[in-house]
Amino acid sequence: MMLSQEIFLLVIIACILLSVLTSMFLYLLIKKTVEISKEKQITNYKNQVHQTIYDYLYRDQKSRLLVPDSTIKFTTIERILTEYSTVIEGEGKGRISSLADEIFHERYEIILNQNNWSRRMNVLYKVDGFKMGSLSEVLKRKLRDQNTSKEEKLIIFRCLANNQECTLSQLFQSVSAIFSVLEYRSILNRVEDELFTKLVDDYCHYPERLKLAIIDMIGIQKKLDLVAFLENQLDDERFEIRIRSMKAIGEVGFLSDSEVIGSFAKSDRWEERLMAAKVIGKTRALNGLEILEALIKDSSWRVRAEAAKSFLSYNDGLERLYDIRFTSDDPFARDMASEWIERGIEDGYSY
């Protein structure tokens, strides 16, 4: 009797599991069928509208087909514009932004006000890719919303930077979102010269990571007109600010005041002495050879090596290395000079 009850119970459980699995299978089957049908409709409409969008982007020819009246049409045009936005440049890029502003503004604004985080993120990536400007006010409100995640704020800042938002400096100061230096750089990389200069003017009001990102971007983009600004940062009490400023000067390849190198070359920190040697090599500072003659005797092997390498950036640098090789009273300096003389000759320098 007991055994028959257990068998009956197992049969009931098996039937329930079978019913659940069957329901799941039917759900997935129906879902897949709907997706296939949707993709087929998108493909059909894409074939209809693709030439129209091409004519608009490259010939500025407008058509009623560019005004979608269904979700399928919205999705199709969105996909086509996404494809074009990665390859098109010039006027066509601006037309993508204009068309996206016209078609997607209302739809995207509704989604941005929903509670679904993944949908909001997806829309923000679209706004960024299309460089839409019509949603700037909506995005700025989202920045001030305490419920907006850090990930959303980062993309919003990128969108606003794309649009050269004039209040970007104030937003950096007021919005409580601290990004990494790399993330700040991804924002600043989208900013044009005029706005970047305004951001530099407010430099002292920013968090340190943003300051570091600004310094890095000056070097990366070789902004010669901001070298004086970099030189001013060399007196900062923070080591990271000083070292990155010196590195940026080296990347720009110009130094308006070669005297600042001297203090770095005498620093107690080997990293600053190393950077001084690198910058001398990249800027060919007026008093650089004299400083390099001291640095090639440095207690740090890396500093000595960088100093010897920097000699080769000067016309008479190889000759000066020969002098050190034969006349220096420092055996480490003589060895380093010998090594880089050989490298210099291999690279085509002549004595």
Side-chain angles (χ1 to χ4, degrees), residues 115-169:
N115 292 326
N116 191 314
W117 182 85
S118 61
R119 292 198 70 194
R120 295 200 308 270
M121 286 291 288
N122 185 54
V123 162
L124 286 174
Y125 279 119
K126 296 295 183 185
V127 173
D128 183 28
F130 296 148
K131 295 189 175 181
M132 294 173 62
S134 64
L135 288 166
S136 290
E137 293 304 316
V138 177
L139 296 180
K140 285 190 281 188
R141 287 199 301 270
K142 293 291 293 180
L143 271 182
R144 298 185 181 96
D145 187 344
Q146 294 184 347
N147 294 321
T148 303
S149 66
K150 175 191 170 182
E151 292 79 8
E152 290 175 278
K153 289 180 179 180
L154 176 60
I155 304 175
I156 290 173
F157 267 115
R158 289 173 181 171
C159 293
L160 295 174
N162 274 336
N163 299 327
Q164 309 307 310
E165 173 58 49
C166 61
T167 63
L168 193 60
S169 177

Side-chain angles (χ1 to χ4, degrees), residues 20-139:
V20 171
L21 291 173
T22 302
S23 300
M24 290 178 63
F25 173 76
L26 291 174
Y27 168 76
L28 293 174
L29 183 63
I30 294 171
K31 183 179 179 181
K32 187 64 176 180
T33 302
V34 171
E35 288 178 354
I36 292 173
S37 175
K38 181 181 178 181
E39 286 299 319
K40 186 175 180 179
Q41 293 178 63
I42 289 174
T43 300
N44 291 336
Y45 187 65
K46 187 175 183 179
N47 293 333
Q48 295 176 35
V49 79
H50 196 279
Q51 184 62 45
T52 302
I53 292 180
Y54 179 90
D55 290 339
Y56 170 73
L57 295 179
Y58 288 95
R59 301 169 186 167
D60 199 20
Q61 296 179 4
K62 296 185 178 180
S63 169
R64 290 184 178 180
L65 287 175
L66 297 178
V67 183
D69 55 9
S70 69
T71 301
I72 293 295
K73 293 181 179 180
F74 267 109
T75 303
T76 304
I77 294 178
E78 187 179 61
R79 287 188 185 180
I80 295 174
L81 291 183
T82 299
E83 293 171 3
Y84 273 115
S85 66
T86 61
V87 297
I88 198 171
E89 296 294 339
E91 293 182 2
K93 200 84 169 179
R95 292 190 186 118
I96 288 178
S97 300
S98 299
L99 185 59
D101 279 329
E102 182 179 345
I103 295 176
F104 303 129
H105 176 102
E106 184 176 349
R107 184 183 182 88
Y108 284 177
E109 183 175 359
I110 291 172
I111 296 175
L112 287 173
N113 289 319
Q114 294 178 351
N115 292 326
N116 191 314
W117 182 85
S118 61
R119 292 198 70 194
R120 295 200 308 270
M121 286 291 288
N122 185 54
V123 162
L124 286 174
Y125 279 119
K126 296 295 183 185
V127 173
D128 183 28
F130 296 148
K131 295 189 175 181
M132 294 173 62
S134 64
L135 288 166
S136 290
E137 293 304 316
V138 177
L139 296 180

Side-chain angles (χ1 to χ4, degrees), residues 1-8:
M1 186 70 177
M2 190 70 176
L3 182 61
S4 61
Q5 289 179 344
E6 290 177 353
I7 294 173
F8 178 75

Side-chain angles (χ1 to χ4, degrees), residues 317-327 337 341 345 351:
L318 195 58
E319 181 179 354
R320 299 289 279 268
L321 283 177
Y322 269 103
D323 290 340
I324 294 169
R325 177 181 182 179
F326 294 117
T327 64
I341 286 171
I345 292 174
Y351 174 59

Side-chain angles (χ1 to χ4, degrees), residues 297-338:
K297 300 178 181 180
D298 197 88
S299 58
S300 167
W301 179 89
R302 294 185 63 181
V303 175
R304 295 199 303 274
E306 194 62 43
K309 176 182 177 182
S310 292
F311 269 104
L312 298 178
S313 65
Y314 289 85
N315 292 332
D316 58 342
L318 195 58
E319 181 179 354
R320 299 289 279 268
L321 283 177
Y322 269 103
D323 290 340
I324 294 169
R325 177 181 182 179
F326 294 117
T327 64
S328 177
D329 57 356
D330 187 311
F332 296 111
R334 292 197 302 269
D335 290 344
M336 191 60 71
S338 298

Side-chain angles (χ1 to χ4, degrees), residues 205-256:
H205 301 298
Y206 300 142
E208 183 170 345
R209 291 176 185 172
L210 178 52
K211 289 180 177 180
L212 294 173
I214 288 174
I215 291 170
D216 288 351
M217 291 308 301
I218 293 174
I220 291 170
Q221 298 182 351
K222 302 186 185 305
K223 294 182 180 292
L224 185 61
D225 56 319
L226 292 173
V227 167
F229 165 80
L230 292 176
E231 291 174 348
N232 289 335
Q233 309 316 310
L234 298 179
D235 294 326
D236 197 290
E237 61 182 13
R238 287 161 293 187
F239 169 75
E240 192 68 21
I241 294 287
R242 296 196 307 272
I243 203 74
R244 290 208 187 212
S245 297
M246 185 63 84
K247 179 182 178 183
I249 289 172
E251 290 174 341
V252 174
F254 177 77
L255 191 66
S256 67

